[in-house]
């Protein structure tokens, strides 16, 4: 059945592609955050371990929302490690986990990157009058920008 939701085929495809990049960034950031939750050490262990759990839980819950928006636009959501590795803007983490404050800095940079990835789509979704995707992007931006700020605050002396 053809899709007729008031967004052109071309716009739906371009938006789905951009959301696929956001999904890949979000999944990569989720994996990194969960990795750091497991492997953090040092004097701030308890607070960082708990904070990372809150962050990876929020990221995990966002993945379904992003993927389902891609599906609503009539496209398949990326879902394999190889697809995510190809689409993400984020580097993979080293095999040996970094020290606690480098973990914090890595996650701050990751949230800033995800915010930029989301922000890149606004012109396109505005042109397509895709308010549902604009709303999703606004929500994701708020989370990524606030989380990046909180992580940066930990790095101040």
């Amino acid at each position: 059945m053809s899709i007729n939701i008031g967004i052109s085929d071309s716009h739906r495809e371009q938006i789905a592609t951009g959301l696929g990049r956001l999904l890949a960034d979000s999944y990569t950031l989720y994996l990194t955050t969960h990795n750091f939750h497991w492997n953090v050490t040092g004097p701030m262990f308890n607070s960082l371990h708990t904070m990372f759990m809150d962050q990876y839980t929020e990221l995990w819950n966002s993945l379904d929302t992003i993927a389902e928006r891609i599906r609503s636009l009539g496209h398949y959501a990326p879902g394999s490690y190889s697809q995510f590795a190809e689409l993400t803007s984020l580097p993979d983490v080293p095999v040996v986990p970094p020290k606690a404050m480098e973990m914090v800095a890595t996650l701050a940079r990751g949230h800033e990157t995800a915010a930029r990835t989301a922000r890149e789509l606004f012109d396109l979704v505005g042109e397509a009058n895709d308010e549902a995707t604009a709303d999703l992007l606004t929500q994701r931006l708020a989370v990524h920008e606030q989380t990046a700020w909180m992580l940066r605050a930990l790095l101040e002396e």
Side-chain angles (χ1 to χ4, degrees):
M1 181 174 169
S2 65
I3 298 172
N4 183 9
I5 59 173
I7 302 172
S8 72
D9 291 347
S10 174
H11 278 137
R12 286 187 300 101
E13 181 177 1
Q14 292 173 60
I15 293 166
T17 298
L19 287 173
R21 287 191 298 272
L22 180 61
L23 182 61
D25 281 358
S26 299
Y27 196 85
T28 303
L29 190 54
Y30 159 78
L31 285 174
T32 301
T33 306
H34 212 148
N35 174 332
F36 290 172
H37 165 79
W38 291 327
N39 292 301
V40 67
T41 59
M44 293 184 60
F45 167 80
N46 195 48
S47 59
L48 290 177
H49 183 76
T50 300
M51 182 180 69
F52 294 162
M53 182 173 66
D54 291 343
Q55 291 174 3
Y56 78 67
T57 300
E58 193 286 326
L59 285 161
W60 178 257
N61 291 329
S62 76
L63 299 174
D64 215 41
T65 302
I66 299 166
E68 288 180 358
R69 182 64 193 152
I70 295 168
R71 294 298 294 138
S72 295
L73 292 168
H75 293 272
Y76 291 107
S80 69
Y81 289 121
S82 64
Q83 287 175 300
F84 288 150
E86 182 179 317
L87 293 169
T88 190
S89 306
L90 298 169
D92 199 1
V93 293
V95 173
V96 176
K99 299 291 185 189
M101 287 300 102
E102 184 53 35
M103 289 178 174
V104 170
T106 297
L107 294 177
R109 287 189 299 270
H111 281 280
E112 289 174 347
T113 299
R116 289 191 306 274
T117 299
R119 193 176 306 285
E120 289 172 0
L121 283 169
F122 272 107
D123 287 343
L124 177 60
V125 299
E127 180 182 313
N129 295 316
D130 182 356
E131 288 81 8
T133 300
D135 183 54
L136 181 153
L137 294 172
T138 300
Q139 291 175 41
R140 297 312 309 147
L141 272 172
V143 169
H144 290 302
E145 289 176 355
Q146 182 179 32
T147 305
W149 156 63
M150 290 180 172
L151 290 164
R152 286 190 311 267
L154 288 171
L155 298 171
E156 291 183 12
E157 299 205 20

